[in-house]
Every structure is written in structure tokens, then in C-alpha cells.
Amino acid sequence: MDDENIIKLFFNRNESAIHEIEQKYGNLCLCVANRILKNAEDSEECVNDAFLNVWNSIPPTKPDNLKGFVCKITRNLALMRLRHDSRQKRSAELSVSLSELDEILPDNRINPSVDDGEIAEAINSFLLKQRTHVRKIFVLKYFYFYTQKEIAEHFSFSENKVNSILFRTRKKLRKYLEKEGIEI
């Protein structure tokens, strides 16, 4: 079933919408949650919670991209669960990924006037201007939390090349955000 029809099921409060979304995006959501939580049971719970959140969000929200909407909810729930369950036990790879972004993203505690939506829009605009493989590498690393090794294998690149692409992209993104008036 296509996304538009699934969204219509949600708007009609038809419970088969949950089944359809599970069939279409369940494995992807499980993969997203498991990359963060590294635990099958916790990941399954997170995905179930994500589907409940989707049910509670649609309507009134009508997402333009259902796949992205569901993945974002899953990812955010998994990150919240990880923070809650193991503040000190966060995986080293995830900590490195998040700390790399800390260098280029504004800290809301220091500058509370910065709107997350504005930052997301600026990052999306920046990524759309990048070459396709650069954009995909960035998203795999910082949204799906793939390791550099996994990304290198996916693109048939060396890990050094992936590290170099990520480093240059972060530097460009920082300059782009500053140019857009977002204080770092």
C-alpha cells in the first residue's frame, strides 16, 4: 500500500493503518532503533512506541514523507530511551557521532533563541547542495549512526576517505550555518 493510502487510514482512524505501517516500515524502524540501542527487545519496544506515537500524531499531522516521519519518531524515542537507561553507558561510537556534531551545532543552553526547526531547515538546505554520496554518507553517520567502517563498505571507499568526507562536510556545514546567521 502506498503512503498516501496509509495516511488516509490513519485519518479515518482505521486500525489497519498500524498493520500497514508495520509491514512497510517495521524492519527499517527496527534497524534504526537497534543501531542506537543495540538490544533487540528494547528496539522492538521502541518501534511499538513509535507506531503508537504515529497513531497519536496522525491526524492532525499529515506528513509529507511518511517514511521519514516514522523513522524520525523511532530515532528520537531510541535516543531518549538510551539517555534514560544508560546515561553513563552510552556506546563509544554513538558518543563520538554526537560529539562531532556538538562542534558545529549551537547549544540551546547558551543561545536559547536558536530554533531547532530553523537549524534543521538550514542543515537540510546545506545537504541538498552537496553531492549525492556526501549527503548519503552524512545521513548514514549522523541520522542512522552507521560506523565509518559500515559506510566505507557500503560505498566501497576506504575508512580514511569516509573520515575525510565527514570532516570536510562538518567544516562546510559549520561555515554554512554561520553564514545563515546561526550562532555556534
Side-chain angles (χ1 to χ4, degrees), residues 126-143:
F126 168 79
L127 289 174
L128 287 173
K129 296 174 184 175
Q130 304 307 305
R131 295 172 65 193
T132 302
H133 75 277
V134 171
R135 180 173 52 247
K136 287 181 179 179
I137 288 170
F138 191 89
V139 170
L140 286 173
K141 177 65 178 170
Y142 300 114
F143 187 86

Side-chain angles (χ1 to χ4, degrees), residues 96-137:
V96 168
S97 291
L98 295 175
S99 68
E100 288 171 353
L101 291 179
D102 283 345
E103 298 170 10
I104 59 172
L105 296 177
D107 187 341
N108 285 349
R109 293 170 298 185
I110 295 169
N111 189 0
S113 66
V114 177
D115 177 31
D116 288 343
E118 179 184 348
I119 296 167
E121 190 175 309
I123 292 171
N124 287 335
S125 177
F126 168 79
L127 289 174
L128 287 173
K129 296 174 184 175
Q130 304 307 305
R131 295 172 65 193
T132 302
H133 75 277
V134 171
R135 180 173 52 247
K136 287 181 179 179
I137 288 170

Side-chain angles (χ1 to χ4, degrees), residues 8-80:
K8 285 179 184 174
L9 290 175
F10 277 106
F11 269 87
N12 293 332
R13 305 314 289 161
N14 186 330
E15 290 182 15
S16 66
I18 297 289
H19 174 73
E20 293 297 332
I21 207 166
E22 183 177 9
Q23 290 296 114
K24 190 162 186 182
Y25 298 120
N27 287 338
L28 175 61
C29 290
L30 197 56
C31 180
V32 168
N34 206 29
R35 287 200 160 281
I36 296 168
L37 298 172
K38 309 284 191 229
N39 179 299
E41 289 175 3
D42 289 349
S43 297
E44 285 181 34
E45 276 185 46
C46 182
V47 170
N48 289 334
D49 290 346
F51 292 158
L52 178 63
N53 280 2
V54 171
W55 176 262
N56 291 331
S57 299
I58 305 174
T61 304
K62 185 177 183 194
D64 294 328
N65 179 341
L66 184 60
K67 177 181 175 182
F69 185 75
V70 174
C71 284
K72 183 178 179 182
I73 289 173
T74 303
R75 178 182 180 271
N76 289 343
L77 288 172
L79 287 170
M80 286 186 336

